[in-house]
């Protein structure tokens, strides 16, 4: 039977009109040839989601400059004219398939496993990151000890976000999303134990939100008032699944309001591979996604187990979010919206899709072995 699931209804993110409320979450696939250039394989990969009915695709994290922003080997960039042209081919492929695509702009900060452009890492403070580098992303051993970012480093990073947003607009992207989640640079400023600064970028939640706000303001100034700009936020991190905002809902509200005041059109709350309910519930019992909507009046994207059609319905019907973003669920079912529309049960995610690493080559090898045709 055809479905009347609320995820299939239209909505808007700022000026961006979506045919449905289902987005592909950003997932690092680190599949360039090492030069930051998007490939034809990447264009096909992103277009497949649009063909499957996803109204919106958010790219993996794209690094910003030839300074400190690169985080992973073979990560894509948007720095040179050639890379702009390469991303334009990706954008055109998604548009031809009927979808919209947003570029996620990322600065790794202390969480850099590889940088072909510059030695050393920067962070708000010289604090060693927790855990070890991730093998699936080409890393091993302990993270490097970053140095505390100087005023010049901060200005360089802010320019990187702004300039890359301008290049994203030039490449034809339908909007940009700043990566402020999962332990990367913006999140390092927001997090108490990675930000021990005593200047205007540290201290309470207002001070720790300053870098995020300035990045959004710089991007907004560059792209103009009508171009869609959002930010992805999270409590948890790739190297710390337990962290929660110590101020609970009150601190979350400060961060959300700061993002809105700085010019964000939407907020995207990530769950770092965990269930939305587990990571979104704050100390007051309210969910972070519902609080973000209430405090800012902005549309909110929820992430974390949204491939579950029952949970997705709950999130949308109860007003926790406006859009759902699927990560691994989208990899398992690149046609998830079409399946839901047709009343079919979505598939279970197969972890072998991301083994031995997260690259598109590994996925293609698995699908070929499984006898699956790749359109």
């Amino acid at each position: 039977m055809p479905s009347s699931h609320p995820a299939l209804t239209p909505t808007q993110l700022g000026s961006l009109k979506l045919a449905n409320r289902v987005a592909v979450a950003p997932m690092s696939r680190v599949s360039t040839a090492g030069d930051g250039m998007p490939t034809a394989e990447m264009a096909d990969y992103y277009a497949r989601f649009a063909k499957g009915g996803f109204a919106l695709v958010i790219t993996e994290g794209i690094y910003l400059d030839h300074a400190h922003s690169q985080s992973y080997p073979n990560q894509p960039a948007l720095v040179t004219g050639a890379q702009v042209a390469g991303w334009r081919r990706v954008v055109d492929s998604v548009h031809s398939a009927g979808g919209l695509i947003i570029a996620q702009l990322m600065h790794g900060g202390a969480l850099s496993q590889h940088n072909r452009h510059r030695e050393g890492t920067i962070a708000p403070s010289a604090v060693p990151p927790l855990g070890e580098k991730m093998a699936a992303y080409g890393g091993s051993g302990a993270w490097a000890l970053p140095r505390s970012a100087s005023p010049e480093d901060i200005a360089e990073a802010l320019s990187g976000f702004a300039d890359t947003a301008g290049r994203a607009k030039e490449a034809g992207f339908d909007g940009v999303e700043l990566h402020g989640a999962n332990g990367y640079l913006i999140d390092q400023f927001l997090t108490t134990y990675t930000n021990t600064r005593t200047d205007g970028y540290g201290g309470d939640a207002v001070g720790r939100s300053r870098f995020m706000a300035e990045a959004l303001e710089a991007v907004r100034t560059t792209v103009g008032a009508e171009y869609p700009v959002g930010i992805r936020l999270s409590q948890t991190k790739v190297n710390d699944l337990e962290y929660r905002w110590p101020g609970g809902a009150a601190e979350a509200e400060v961060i959300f309001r700061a993002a809105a005041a700085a010019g964000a059109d939407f907020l995207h709350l990530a769950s770092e591979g965990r269930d939305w309910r587990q990571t979104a519930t704050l100390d007051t019992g309210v969910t972070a996604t519902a609080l973000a909507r209430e405090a800012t009046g902005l549309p909110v994207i929820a992430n974390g187990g949204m491939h579950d059609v029952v949970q997705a319905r709950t999130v949308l019907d109860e007003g926790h979010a406006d859009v759902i973003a699927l990560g691994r669920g989208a990899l398992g079912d690149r046609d998830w919206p079409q399946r839901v529309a047709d009343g079919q049960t979505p598939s279970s995610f197969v972890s072998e899709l991301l083994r031995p690493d997260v690259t598109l080559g590994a996925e293609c090898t698995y699908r070929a072995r499984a006898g699956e045709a790749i359109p």
Side-chain angles (χ1 to χ4, degrees):
M1 293 287 293
S3 171
S4 59
H5 198 285
L8 304 178
T9 61
T11 192
Q12 284 196 209
L13 290 178
S15 61
L16 201 60
K17 296 180 179 180
L18 305 184
N20 60 45
R21 297 170 185 263
V22 194
V24 177
M27 293 176 281
S28 293
R29 305 310 299 271
V30 291
S31 295
T32 75
D35 54 2
M37 278 289 295
T39 64
E41 183 182 33
M42 290 168 60
D44 292 341
Y45 162 75
Y46 284 117
R48 286 199 296 270
F49 296 114
K51 292 175 184 176
F54 286 89
L56 177 66
V57 177
I58 307 173
T59 71
E60 62 198 288
I62 301 170
Y63 73 87
L64 316 172
D65 54 36
H66 289 167
H68 293 292
S69 65
Q70 184 177 3
S71 195
Y72 299 119
N74 302 322
Q75 182 182 4
L78 187 46
V79 181
T80 68
Q83 289 163 353
V84 170
W87 278 114
R88 188 177 293 117
R89 289 189 287 271
V90 175
V91 169
D92 289 346
S93 293
V94 173
H95 286 170
S96 295
L100 301 173
I101 182 167
I102 283 176
Q104 188 189 67
L105 312 183
M106 173 179 166
H107 192 305
L111 297 191
S112 176
Q113 299 193 168
H114 171 83
N115 187 336
R116 69 195 298 254
H117 305 289
R118 196 176 292 188
E119 293 294 327
T121 57
I122 62 167
S125 305
V127 176
L130 299 178
E132 294 188 340
K133 297 177 182 179
M134 295 171 284
Y137 293 88
S140 64
W143 302 94
L145 176 67
R147 63 177 174 83
S148 179
S150 67
E152 293 76 19
D153 291 326
I154 290 174
E156 183 176 57
L158 293 173
S159 293
F161 278 109
D163 294 346
T164 307
R167 289 188 288 267
K169 187 175 182 181
E170 180 185 352
F173 280 103
D174 300 294
V176 294
E177 175 182 278
L178 278 64
H179 198 345
N182 305 137
Y184 301 107
L185 184 64
I186 292 176
D187 188 41
Q188 289 160 30
F189 273 92
L190 294 172
T191 298
T192 52
Y193 69 82
T194 54
N195 184 351
T196 61
R197 299 177 75 99
T198 56
D199 62 7
Y201 290 98
D204 61 12
V206 174
R208 286 182 280 112
S209 298
R210 178 180 168 184
F211 179 79
M212 172 198 71
E214 289 185 353
L216 283 165
E217 289 166 354
V219 166
R220 176 58 70 201
T221 298
T222 298
V223 300
E226 297 303 316
Y227 192 69
V229 174
I231 186 164
R232 196 178 206 219
L233 299 165
S234 71
Q235 300 188 88
T236 56
K237 309 161 196 321
V238 294
N239 63 327
D240 182 0
L241 297 177
E242 305 306 321
Y243 183 81
R244 298 293 184 273
W245 291 315
E251 182 170 336
E253 187 167 346
V254 169
I255 295 169
F256 299 154
R257 289 186 182 276
D265 290 310
F266 65 90
L267 305 179
H268 181 182
L269 300 192
S271 293
E272 193 50 58
R274 291 190 167 189
D275 181 75
W276 160 81
R277 183 76 69 176
Q278 180 182 6
T279 57
T281 303
L282 299 170
D283 56 333
T284 60
V286 68
T287 63
T289 46
L291 177 62
R293 291 182 85 222
E294 179 183 351
T296 67
L298 297 175
V300 170
I301 304 175
N303 168 247
M306 295 301 152
H307 60 280
D308 182 322
V309 293
V310 175
Q311 177 158 275
R313 180 181 291 277
T314 297
V315 166
L316 295 172
D317 280 348
E318 293 185 0
H320 295 280
D322 303 272
V323 175
I324 57 170
L326 279 64
R328 294 184 178 186
L331 293 181
D333 283 324
R334 292 167 293 182
D335 59 349
W336 190 92
Q338 291 179 357
R339 284 177 177 263
V340 173
D342 293 340
Q344 300 179 29
T345 302
S347 307
S348 298
F349 173 72
V350 179
S351 59
E352 284 75 15
L353 285 168
L354 299 177
R355 293 178 181 169
D357 55 42
V358 299
T359 63
L360 296 180
E363 178 183 344
C364 288
T365 297
Y366 168 76
R367 292 189 187 277
R369 288 175 179 168
E372 180 180 341
I374 302 176

